[in-house]
Amino acid sequence: MFQFLQNLGKTTRSSFAKLGRASFFLSHTLTGISDVVPRPNLLIKQVYSVGVLSFLIITISGLFVGMVLGLQGFNILSDFGAEESLGVMVAASLVRELGPVVSALLFAGRAGSALTAEIGLMKATEQLSGMEMMAVDPIKRIISPRFLAGFLSMPLLAALFSAIGIMGGHVVGVGMLGVDDGAFWAQMQASIDFQEDIMNGILKSVVFGFVVSWIALFEGYDAIPTSEGVSRATTRTVVNSAFSVLALDFILTALMFGDI
Amino acid sequence: MANSASPEDNIVSISNLSFSRGPRKIFDAVSLEIQRGKVTAIMGPSGTGKTTLLKLIGGQLAPDRGQIHVDGQNVHRLKTRELYELRKRMGMLFQSGALLTDMSVYDNVAFPMREHTHLPESMIRTLVLMKLHAVGLRGARHLMPNELSGGMARRVALARAIALDPLMIMYDEPFTGQDPISKGALVHLIKSLNTTLGLTSIIVSHDVQETAAIADYIYVLSGGKIIGQGTPQELQQSDSEWVQQFMHGDADGPVHFHYSAPDYLDDLLASK
């Protein structure tokens, strides 16, 4: 019993210490962003590796998610004779939920894990410490551009995911299952609200981009500088990002759409 | 002692330094001086905190007690900005080289100049080529760090460390894991750079021969204390058994070959 309490205390203390380090890290990173602005080259390079290199996985996943939505949606809607609403259903689920959430999960797996491993290895090979000794602040030089790149890329990737998903739904619904083309688009246009649906979806992906980039970079920076430490940190990035994205999605949805 | 020069002649002066990691005491009231323009070596067996000492001097770690002055400034009283200014005058050569792996040799050497100066690219090119020429790797400027051998990586790191013309360079185990030719090249480089550029060099090492060949003054550290100091010749003739064992690399002596353990026979016969 005593042992249990002791362990509980230790775990709580170390989690709070970690939270403190993470907050300090975040504030340091955010102040470093002002140094990134006059050097767009640093940012462009990172947007390429974080954002552009995630294009393929986002496009392909978006396409398939949209096609599955089209198929499942058609089956259910046709029971009520409402196949014409397929466009609304596909677009609303993608723009409100699946676009931001699934692309954030994919982003954590593709770009987040890569960021953690990169920063963790830079730490293990003393590159960060070497930079400090060259009087270059590694957080400002290395972390801030990556953070900004992740933060900017995420909403764009989510938008791409939703757009490709809608096309996937169109291919299945209109192309294969014979839903009326005009009805598909017209109902979508009539029902999807710019403020309510699209802006809220973008807001979600902005929040997810912020959180996933923060987690990924912090885990790398805080990793124990050994091969095992880096591998654990990479796992933690994916797991913690997934948890945070899903939990935050519930909270955001409740605030945006729920009347709780 | 031989090191009784006036305070202005000391670029680094450490007084009463104590530092612990967890329960382990790494330094216990250590005081030492490093003279300007000289090659000073800090020697001792692995695990005595030699690298930690360099990190303390560079301000990457803070001591529990005691003070470290570098070029007249108390390192641990400085604000971050002032510390960074001071670091521009210190070069450090890490054991691993710590080259930035996503940049070529050329860009690595240019890195500190691009970060800290507004020199035009043409001037940076000239400077980078000069620094690389000094370490004999002008022809390797297009290679990436993963294409370099260990010795070459260390020489590139050295070129980068002198990029901003620092006052002093700290070498962390420069000879460890090098083949004889690279070792020879590094010994020669450290000495000649020190003289030609008017630097001060601090070498942390446990390679007795190479270090003794170029050091003007040596401190021997063990168990958190300085247990011997002097010129290489003085240390060779030291009457401390410990220093003798270290300088000559004897397997047994005051430092035992066996890690402390219960009696061998009892241990073997014990059931569990």
Side-chain angles (χ1 to χ4, degrees):
Chain A
M1 183 63 193
F2 189 68
Q3 186 68 35
F4 170 74
L5 284 177
Q6 210 177 17
N7 287 341
L8 186 72
K10 221 182 250 174
T11 319
T12 318
R13 219 187 102 180
S14 71
S15 346
F16 273 105
K18 188 165 182 179
L19 195 65
R21 288 200 302 280
S23 314
F24 185 72
F25 174 84
L26 180 65
S27 71
H28 198 154
T29 306
L30 293 178
T31 51
I33 286 181
S34 58
D35 290 20
V36 180
V37 178
R39 298 176 70 179
N41 281 342
L42 290 180
L43 181 65
I44 292 168
K45 205 174 157 200
Q46 293 313 319
V47 169
Y48 176 76
S49 74
V50 170
V52 177
L53 292 181
S54 305
F55 252 49
L56 195 64
I57 186 172
I58 292 286
T59 337
I60 293 178
S61 313
L63 184 68
F64 281 111
V65 167
M67 284 164 70
V68 169
L69 274 179
L71 215 59
Q72 295 279 22
F74 182 83
N75 282 341
I76 294 175
L77 291 173
S78 61
D79 288 348
F80 305 99
E83 304 92 276
E84 262 70 56
S85 308
L86 186 66
V88 184
M89 195 226 117
V90 169
S93 5
L94 278 167
V95 172
R96 283 185 178 189
E97 287 297 331
L98 294 170
V101 173
V102 177
S103 55
L105 295 176
L106 293 170
F107 181 74
R110 166 65 185 76
S113 58
L115 284 175
T116 307
E118 187 190 14
I119 305 290
L121 279 172
M122 287 183 93
K123 187 180 182 188
T125 51
E126 294 183 310
Q127 293 183 49
L128 296 183
S129 169
M131 220 175 254
E132 257 177 42
M133 283 308 297
M134 285 188 278
V136 176
D137 185 341
I139 293 197
K140 289 187 177 170
R141 178 63 173 67
I142 298 290
I143 307 286
S144 295
R146 284 168 173 74
F147 180 82
L148 194 58
F151 179 67
L152 294 177
S153 304
M154 188 64 244
L156 297 175
L157 290 172
L160 180 74
F161 186 95
S162 299
I164 300 271
I166 291 171
M167 286 190 220
H170 183 264
V171 167
V172 171
V174 177
M176 291 157 70
L177 299 170
V179 175
D180 182 60
D181 194 17
F184 185 90
W185 293 117
Q187 292 222 14
M188 192 192 298
Q189 274 183 9
S191 309
I192 300 291
D193 182 58
F194 180 73
Q195 194 65 35
E196 175 88 341
D197 298 304
I198 297 182
M199 283 316 278
N200 277 339
I202 291 178
L203 186 61
K204 275 186 182 179
S205 59
V206 167
V207 173
F208 298 159
F210 187 93
V211 171
V212 172
S213 312
W214 178 20
I215 292 177
L217 292 166
F218 175 70
E219 287 294 353
Y221 191 76
D222 202 48
I224 300 165
T226 59
S227 15
E228 199 203 354
V230 174
S231 101
R232 280 190 183 187
T234 312
T235 310
R236 274 203 304 273
T237 291
V238 178
V239 173
N240 292 350
S241 301
F243 273 145
S244 317
V245 164
L246 296 172
L248 278 171
D249 183 46
F250 174 72
I251 296 173
L252 289 172
T253 308
L255 291 175
M256 290 167 176
F257 303 102
D259 296 316
I260 305 172
Chain B
M1 281 268 151
N3 221 13
S4 56
S6 65
E8 304 85 69
D9 286 344
N10 293 329
I11 191 159
V12 177
S13 84
I14 296 176
S15 54
N16 247 333
L17 173 78
S18 295
F19 182 78
S20 357
R21 267 223 168 104
R24 224 180 108 225
K25 245 191 175 164
I26 299 190
F27 297 116
D28 186 12
V30 168
S31 298
L32 56 84
E33 313 283 340
I34 286 162
Q35 262 190 56
R36 219 177 268 272
K38 295 281 165 65
V39 178
T40 305
I42 294 161
M43 308 196 69
S46 317
T48 38
K50 301 187 297 291
T51 306
T52 311
L53 185 65
L54 293 187
K55 292 201 164 170
L56 283 161
I57 296 176
Q60 290 189 302
L61 293 171
D64 298 339
R65 259 192 311 283
Q67 295 178 333
I68 298 176
H69 284 87
V70 175
D71 203 22
Q73 289 176 291
N74 186 337
V75 176
H76 300 96
R77 285 282 169 76
L78 295 177
K79 300 206 177 70
T80 315
R81 189 184 297 264
E82 296 166 329
L83 179 63
Y84 272 62
E85 279 306 312
L86 181 63
R87 280 185 188 157
K88 287 184 197 169
R89 285 177 274 151
M90 302 186 204
M92 175 145 173
L93 189 72
F94 284 83
Q95 201 172 341
S96 59
L99 294 176
L100 301 168
T101 41
D102 58 341
M103 294 182 190
S104 68
V105 164
Y106 179 94
D107 290 327
N108 260 289
V109 179
F111 180 81
M113 302 180 199
R114 287 183 180 147
E115 291 293 321
H116 294 308
T117 68
H118 297 288
L119 296 175
E121 232 9 72
S122 59
M123 176 99 68
I124 288 184
R125 181 175 184 276
T126 315
L127 287 170
V128 169
L129 294 186
M130 282 165 67
K131 306 292 175 189
L132 280 173
H133 189 76
V135 297
L137 290 177
R138 191 164 42 87
R141 61 178 179 269
H142 299 302
L143 298 181
M144 293 301 282
N146 59 6
E147 296 169 304
L148 301 174
S149 71
M152 283 161 84
R154 240 169 259 192
R155 276 149 70 187
V156 174
L158 185 51
R160 187 179 66 176
I162 56 172
L164 292 178
D165 295 316
L167 287 174
M168 61 179 230
I169 300 194
M170 300 189 273
Y171 298 90
D172 186 4
E173 299 284 5
F175 312 116
T176 307
Q178 300 291 315
D179 64 71
I181 300 176
S182 312
K183 256 190 209 175
L186 280 163
V187 167
H188 166 74
L189 263 177
I190 294 175
K191 188 71 187 171
S192 67
L193 284 179
N194 198 70
T195 340
T196 50
L197 301 182
L199 293 168
T200 304
S201 305
I202 306 175
I203 304 175
V204 145
S205 177
H206 51 232
D207 291 284
V208 176
Q209 279 188 349
E210 287 77 14
T211 312
I214 49 171
D216 295 306
Y217 202 80
I218 298 180
Y219 287 96
V220 183
L221 274 177
S222 176
K225 292 195 176 293
I226 292 174
I227 54 155
Q229 55 178 305
T231 62
Q233 293 75 23
E234 284 167 2
L235 281 182
Q236 293 288 358
Q237 272 124 43
S238 164
D239 44 14
S240 150
E241 273 183 56
W242 199 103
V243 173
Q244 283 298 327
Q245 187 192 356
F246 183 77
M247 297 299 283
H248 298 117
D250 303 328
D252 217 344
V255 178
H256 295 296
F257 170 68
H258 289 290
Y259 193 83
S260 73
D263 186 72
Y264 189 33
L265 196 61
D266 290 350
D267 221 3
L268 287 179
L269 295 177
S271 55
K272 246 195 177 169

